[in-house]
């Protein structure tokens, strides 16, 4: 469903497609939560509050540049603070609805969470179901505690993946030769069929995986992370004392010419196994590395492959803006200042736009 929304949005308004692509990854900002309904067939679609999510990260970065807004009191009284708490309200409202809807759905569902598959193996549970199971069993989790966990996963996983898809589409549209090769791989896997993807298909998409990795190298969705060091470290003849907060800039790190010769060139073959083997293990870290790295990275890759596979099979993409035209900025997420122009042409006559 969301790929359809994506293509409709792209055709309706190509400029600003970062926003247009982000929205359909799950939906768009919700109407006030007027009704929640669940049936044995499922729950109503819940739209994702993308705009509030995006605004929140911008407010956060804005606050960083205004020292007088550091104290919570002044922040709360400022217009920036008011925007922040309004967005937080929208996001919490959304998560509460997701949890409530799931609870309702579980009541209607004939299959218990402990259902076993025919093979005798226990069915894999969704993360939210695990939390609800724990809550219904012995250890009681407060609704707020469940919400915090759901918030973490939903908001860490949404903007990052949507942004990564956006940059990958842009780069595919800019490099017809790469797009042709990726399309050919899809043709080999699907043989012209319109069926949905299987896990085996996703594993077979080796070239597309390299495209995604290379896109994340040039445009890491999270351009920077912070780490506090717990012991002194010597770097380049300087000693950084324990307690220092280091900013690790993946955007810059991924352009190290010693690790990636010709670093600005979009070259998915940078991720051929033999080239990866020659590089430092931390030369490429779009998902961070070590403790507290991204817990959703495998899922993100599968999600990206699924969306891009659909797009490649059904549409030919042409990006209209050069790399020089694309200005990006750090708002926790690497955002495009003005989006990009892309034209989307159906590959087969049967595909409607
Ligand atoms: C292309 C997509 C994604 C990118 C580039 C990405 C990147 C990252 C990075 C760099 C971090 C470390 C942040 C830090 O230390 O400050 C992180 C953490 C995290 N990510 Fe992702 N992420 C992506 C998708 C996802 C998805 C789909 C999920 C969940 C379904 C997810 C869940 C998380 C969580 C829960 C953490 C915090 C882990 C912890 O602190 O222990 N991410 N991600």
């Amino acid at each position: 469903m969301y790929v359809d929304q994506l293509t409709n949005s792209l055709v309706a308004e190509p400029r600003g497609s970062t926003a247009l692509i982000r929205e359909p990854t799950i939906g768009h900002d919700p109407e006030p939560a007027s009704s929640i309904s669940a049936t044995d067939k499922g729950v109503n679609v819940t739209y994702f509050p993308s705009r509030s999510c995006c605004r929140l990260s911008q407010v956060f970065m804005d606050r960083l540049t205004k020292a007088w807004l550091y104290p919570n009191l002044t922040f709360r009284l400022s217009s920036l603070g008011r925007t922040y708490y309004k967005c937080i309200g929208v996001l919490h409202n959304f998560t509460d609805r997701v949890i409530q809807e799931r609870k309702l759905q579980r009541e209607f569902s004939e299959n218990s969470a402990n259902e076993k598959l025919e093979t005798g193996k226990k069915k894999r549970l969704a993360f939210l179901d695990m939390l609800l199971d724990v809550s219904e069993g012995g250890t009681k989790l407060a609704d707020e505690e469940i919400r915090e966990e759901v918030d973490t996963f939903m908001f860490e996983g949404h903007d990052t993946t949507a942004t990564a898809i956006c940059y990958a589409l842009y780069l595919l549209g800019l490099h017809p030769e790469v797009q042709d090769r990726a399309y050919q791989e899809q043709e080999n896997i699907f043989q012209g069929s319109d069926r949905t993807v299987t896990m085996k298909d996703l594993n077979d998409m080796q070239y597309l995986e390299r495209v995604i990795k290379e896109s994340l190298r040039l445009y890491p969705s999270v351009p920077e992370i912070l780490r506090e060091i717990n012991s002194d470290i010597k770097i380049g003849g300087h000693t950084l004392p324990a307690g220092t907060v280091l900013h690790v800039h993946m955007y810059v790190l991924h352009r190290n010419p010693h690790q990636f010769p010709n670093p600005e060139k979009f070259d998915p073959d940078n991720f051929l196994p033999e080239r990866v083997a020659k590089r430092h293990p931390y030369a490429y870290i779009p998902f961070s590395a070590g403790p507290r790295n991204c817990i959703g990275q495998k899922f993100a890759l599968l999600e990206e492959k699924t969306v891009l596979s659909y797009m490649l099979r059904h549409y030919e993409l042409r990006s209209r803006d050069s790399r020089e035209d694309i200005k990006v900025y750090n708002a926790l997420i690497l955002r495009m200042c003005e989006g990009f122009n892309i034209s989307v042409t159906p590959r087969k006559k049967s595909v409607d736009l």
Side-chain angles (χ1 to χ4, degrees), residues 12 16 57-58 67 83 113 124 140 145 163 209 243 251 275 277 287:
S57 63
Q58 282 160 346
T83 307
R124 279 200 190 179
K140 190 88 183 140
E145 288 172 303
T163 303
E209 183 161 324
Y251 187 89
R275 289 206 204 166
F287 297 101

Side-chain angles (χ1 to χ4, degrees), residues 149 152-165 212 216 219-227 250 285-289 291-297 299-301 303-304:
E149 297 305 323
T152 306
F153 272 77
M154 220 141 38
F155 301 125
E156 289 265 6
H158 172 259
D159 240 6
T160 44
T161 315
T163 303
I165 290 171
I212 292 170
L216 278 168
Y219 298 111
S221 309
V222 181
E224 173 193 14
I225 53 171
L226 275 61
R227 289 289 182 271
M250 282 91 107
I285 50 164
F287 297 101
S288 174
R292 310 307 297 258
N293 72 355
C294 177
I295 203 166
Q297 55 185 290
F299 177 75
L301 197 57
E303 198 181 349
E304 270 204 70

Side-chain angles (χ1 to χ4, degrees), residues 37-273:
S37 61
T39 66
D40 53 348
K41 298 253 165 31
V43 290
N44 280 350
V45 175
T46 301
Y47 289 104
F48 191 85
S50 326
R51 266 171 240 139
S52 302
C53 193
C54 175
R55 188 77 190 95
L56 205 58
S57 63
Q58 282 160 346
V59 169
F60 180 85
M61 292 306 281
D62 233 9
R63 187 184 185 185
L64 279 187
T65 61
K66 298 184 168 90
W68 62 93
L69 294 181
Y70 287 5
N72 282 340
L73 185 65
T74 43
F75 182 60
R76 263 183 186 280
L77 295 173
S78 68
S79 71
L80 207 61
R82 283 196 295 276
T83 307
Y84 176 86
Y85 288 105
K86 198 172 154 196
C87 292
I88 287 279
V90 172
L91 298 190
H92 282 175
N93 183 28
F94 170 76
T95 323
D96 285 341
R97 287 173 64 202
V98 169
I99 297 168
Q100 237 177 310
E101 284 179 5
R102 188 65 196 146
K103 279 184 178 172
L104 272 171
Q105 197 184 32
R106 282 159 62 100
E107 275 173 29
F108 276 99
S109 172
E110 285 172 12
N111 308 321
S112 93
N114 292 321
E115 176 193 14
K116 295 208 170 155
L117 297 174
E118 279 169 20
T119 54
K121 280 187 188 164
K122 210 171 165 191
K123 199 176 161 185
R124 279 200 190 179
L125 290 180
F127 180 61
L128 177 52
D129 282 323
M130 281 186 197
L131 294 173
L132 292 172
D133 272 3
V134 171
S135 179
E136 284 158 10
T139 343
K140 190 88 183 140
L141 278 177
D143 278 1
E144 206 179 320
E145 288 172 303
I146 296 179
R147 192 184 68 197
E148 278 171 7
E149 297 305 323
V150 176
D151 276 346
T152 306
F153 272 77
M154 220 141 38
F155 301 125
E156 289 265 6
H158 172 259
D159 240 6
T160 44
T161 315
T163 303
I165 290 171
C166 174
Y167 285 111
L169 286 173
Y170 165 65
L171 288 166
L172 280 165
L174 202 62
H175 296 273
E177 70 296 348
V178 173
Q179 188 178 156
D180 286 351
R181 207 170 148 189
Y183 172 68
Q184 208 45 59
E185 181 180 69
Q186 297 298 315
E187 282 295 282
N188 293 343
I189 294 171
F190 290 93
Q191 309 279 327
S193 157
D194 202 20
R195 64 180 172 77
T196 47
V197 290
T198 63
M199 194 54 100
K200 179 176 181 318
D201 297 330
L202 294 173
N203 288 332
D204 288 343
M205 295 177 194
Q206 289 302 310
Y207 186 68
L208 186 58
E209 183 161 324
R210 297 209 290 277
V211 169
I212 292 170
K213 287 182 172 168
E214 177 69 347
S215 304
L216 278 168
R217 178 181 76 79
L218 287 170
Y219 298 111
S221 309
V222 181
E224 173 193 14
I225 53 171
L226 275 61
R227 289 289 182 271
E228 185 180 324
I229 52 174
N230 53 16
S231 58
D232 294 0
I233 297 182
K234 270 199 167 172
I235 299 180
H238 302 280
T239 302
L240 307 174
T244 307
V245 175
L246 299 186
H247 291 235
V248 181
H249 284 268
M250 282 91 107
Y251 187 89
V252 179
L253 184 78
H254 291 175
R255 285 168 164 74
N256 180 349
H258 300 297
Q259 302 291 335
F260 296 97
N262 203 354
E264 286 300 337
K265 186 179 173 208
F266 176 64
D267 179 8
D269 288 345
N270 271 329
F271 290 90
L272 282 170

